[in-house]
């Protein structure tokens, strides 16, 4: 934290990282404060959508669905009104799709929490589609961002499956997880990058009464996470 605070003094981009870090600590109120400061400051449309999305996701986690909905509506308005003014050349193409994917993923969480199950599933599927599109253009960015792209895609597909499992659509959830796994393997994803899929399989197996299989996948995920330190 101390290093991040020092870095944030000289690099505005580091404030975003500091905000994300603080959101995982008891200093969540400060994370919200920094997040809203960034919302006011950031003008680049894809980044404006992304910062609103991550702050909205924290509000969803804290069950402040009203504030989350306000931020997600602002994201929709930016995409609707400002997207056409963003050049599509170079890395802009990547960040546009990345913002759309993240926004739809967060929005799917929100829709699920507000009881709109079918809309949540469709929005999660749109996030997954954008995630697959993103992997196809991730050579536009550096290796770190490429890894983020792949992790986001897997998260989006696993979220589709989570929605489907929660709605009792077990066969569809199984297909979604298989698709995510096969796509990941065909694109060189490591087990570390697929851990979210393994977690989804564990939940699905438990939901369908296959508890031994569920435990095996849970243990597999735990081993991977412990190995990552």
């Amino acid at each position: 934290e101390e290093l991040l605070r020092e870095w944030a003094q000289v690099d505005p981009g580091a404030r975003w990282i500091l905000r994300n870090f603080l959101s995982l600590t008891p200093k969540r109120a400060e994370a919200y404060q920094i997040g809203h400061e960034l919302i006011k400051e950031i003008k680049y449309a894809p980044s404006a959508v992304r910062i609103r999305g991550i702050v909205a996701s924290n509000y969803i986690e804290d069950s402040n669905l009203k504030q989350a909905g306000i931020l997600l509506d602002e994201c929709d308005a930016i995409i609707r009104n400002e997207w056409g003014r963003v050049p599509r050349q170079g890395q802009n193409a990547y960040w546009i799709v990345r913002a759309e994917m993240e926004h739809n993923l967060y929005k799917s969480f929100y829709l699920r929490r507000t009881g709109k199950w079918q809309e949540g599933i469709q929005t999660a599927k749109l996030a997954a589609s954008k995630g697959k599109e993103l992997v196809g253009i991730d050579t536009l960015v550096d290796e770190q961002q490429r890894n983020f792209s792949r992790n986001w895609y897997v998260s989006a597909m696993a979220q589709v499956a989570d929605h489907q499992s929660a709605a009792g659509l077990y066969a569809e959830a199984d297909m979604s997880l298989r698709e995510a796994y096969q796509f990941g393997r065909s694109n060189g994803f490591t087990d570390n990058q697929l851990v979210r899929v393994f977690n989804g399989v564990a939940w699905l197996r438990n939901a369908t009464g296959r508890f031994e299989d569920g435990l095996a996948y849970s243990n597999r995920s735990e081993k991977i996470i412990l190995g990552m330190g």
Side-chain angles (χ1 to χ4, degrees), residues 179-196:
E179 180 182 345
Y181 181 82
Q182 291 167 358
F183 182 84
R185 285 306 189 206
S186 67
N187 283 274
F189 287 24
T190 66
D191 277 0
N192 289 6
Q193 292 170 316
L194 290 169
V195 69
R196 182 67 178 80

Side-chain angles (χ1 to χ4, degrees), residues 37-50:
E37 289 172 357
L38 291 170
I39 286 171
K40 292 178 181 178
E41 296 169 13
I42 292 172
K43 305 303 179 185
Y44 179 58
S47 296
V49 167
R50 294 181 61 233

Side-chain angles (χ1 to χ4, degrees), residues 219-229:
N219 290 338
R220 183 175 183 179
S221 294
E222 182 181 26
K223 184 177 180 181
I224 292 169
I225 293 170
L226 291 175
M228 292 166 63

Side-chain angles (χ1 to χ4, degrees), residues 157-177:
M157 285 300 297
Q159 179 64 14
V160 172
D162 288 350
H163 277 282
Q164 292 167 330
S165 292
L169 303 172
Y170 300 128
E172 290 88 341
D174 188 73
M175 289 175 61
S176 295
L177 291 165

